[in-house]
Amino acid sequence: MRNRGMQGSAHARFAIDGGKAGERWKSKLGKLGRCVMSDYGNRLSPGKHGRAALRVLAAAFVVVCAGDSALAQPYPSKVVRWISPWPPGGANDIFSRAIAQELTRSFGQQVIVDNRPGAAGTIGSDIVAKAPPDGYTIVLGSSPTHAIAPSLYAGLPYDPLRDFAAVTLVATVPNVLVVHPSVPARSVKELIALARARPGKLNFASAGNGTSQHLSGELFKSMAGVDMVHVPYKGTAPALTDLLAGQIELAFDNMPALLPHIRSGRLRALAVTPIKRSATAPELPTIAEAALPGYDASVWFGAFVRAGTPREVVSKLHGEIVKALATPELKARMASLGAEVAGTGPDEFTEYWRKDIPKWAGVVKAAGVKIN
């Protein structure tokens, strides 16, 4: 009995004693040691309670392991929030909803699109910049929010390079120069001649200050040497409403939002803004070839999460988005809207995005645009 008591006493001292031996085991046991020694170390004494202490340790080990297992649930284990930082109806919203629908199927979890428009997409983007880095809040960013904004906004609430992790480049989309049918111009050269004959009389709409649509117009003004008035709206949809009603003469906007109206004849397309023609509308010349050599302005869309999101979560998101983009339905949908689907890897997209920032900084500087 004496030996057994001494053995129990030794076990108890070894496991829960508050001295140096206990501290060493507390370190080795991690969560288990901290939990058991904190809760029981001051109450259990050597001797007959030694075996009880070991039983407590064993039970605690089971609880901790179960807790760790629960925390290690595969991503995603709950609803995912997909931020579209623009109003419904524009290219960002169209792409967001199409991708979210496919992800909901593949994840087995709901992916909810949350439109958070304002300040050229920076309000919605800032939500993700401040979200937990766990992959449950995603933004479909674009050149306005992640490449143009840094040089345009004096008080931008986030740093694109510091606060975001790139997931994948979703697509690149040309802007299209369109006019209302009442405008007596059927080519880019005729539009330039009309603008020069009526300085300050033609209005061009955009989805907001600092957007790719706005800067496409500013670059056009600068290179053509014309004076046109910029009218910013809170998104593509309200801008289109006034353009279709003839209250605004022209616009530079994303092809997905404009195509239905071009095809119906309610708007007249004059040219596309990138350096090369669009596969969706190959009959349209580029502004560069039609009148202004060197003109180049297009927009890209890419998925971002908060910086610090685990690499395995970013990889899972990338893989599932790329799979979604490859589905026949989504591929056809994107192509019909003039989008060139990408699906690049996170590292490749990061390099592409970083190179775009100085390019747009030059356009902003040349246009003399700055927003406080």
Side-chain angles (χ1 to χ4, degrees), residues 63-133:
V63 170
V64 169
C65 287
D68 284 349
S69 175
L71 289 173
Q73 295 179 47
Y75 172 88
S77 59
K78 61 180 181 179
V79 172
V80 176
R81 184 186 183 195
W82 183 290
I83 302 289
S84 172
W86 300 92
N92 194 295
D93 176 68
I94 293 169
F95 295 159
S96 292
R97 293 184 185 280
I99 296 169
Q101 185 177 355
E102 292 297 328
L103 291 182
T104 295
R105 289 180 190 146
S106 63
F107 281 158
Q109 292 285 349
Q110 248 192 319
V111 179
I112 298 174
V113 175
D114 185 3
N115 292 90
R116 291 302 184 98
T122 59
I123 290 176
S125 298
D126 190 47
I127 292 172
V128 178
K130 306 293 191 294

Side-chain angles (χ1 to χ4, degrees), residues 282-355:
E283 72 281 3
L284 291 177
T286 67
I287 291 177
E289 66 181 281
L292 302 174
Y295 183 97
D296 181 19
S298 57
V299 64
W300 52 260
F301 295 87
F304 294 89
V305 289
R306 171 75 185 275
T309 298
R311 186 72 182 182
E312 60 270 22
V313 172
V314 173
S315 296
K316 175 75 177 287
L317 268 174
H318 166 256
E320 293 301 327
I321 293 173
V322 169
K323 274 201 292 184
L325 293 173
T327 58
E329 298 84 2
L330 187 50
K331 206 170 182 180
R333 170 76 167 145
M334 300 280 270
S336 71
L337 294 171
E340 292 187 20
V341 174
T344 56
D347 293 337
E348 187 181 349
F349 177 32
T350 298
E351 185 179 357
Y352 174 91
W353 155 46
R354 286 174 183 264
K355 285 181 179 177

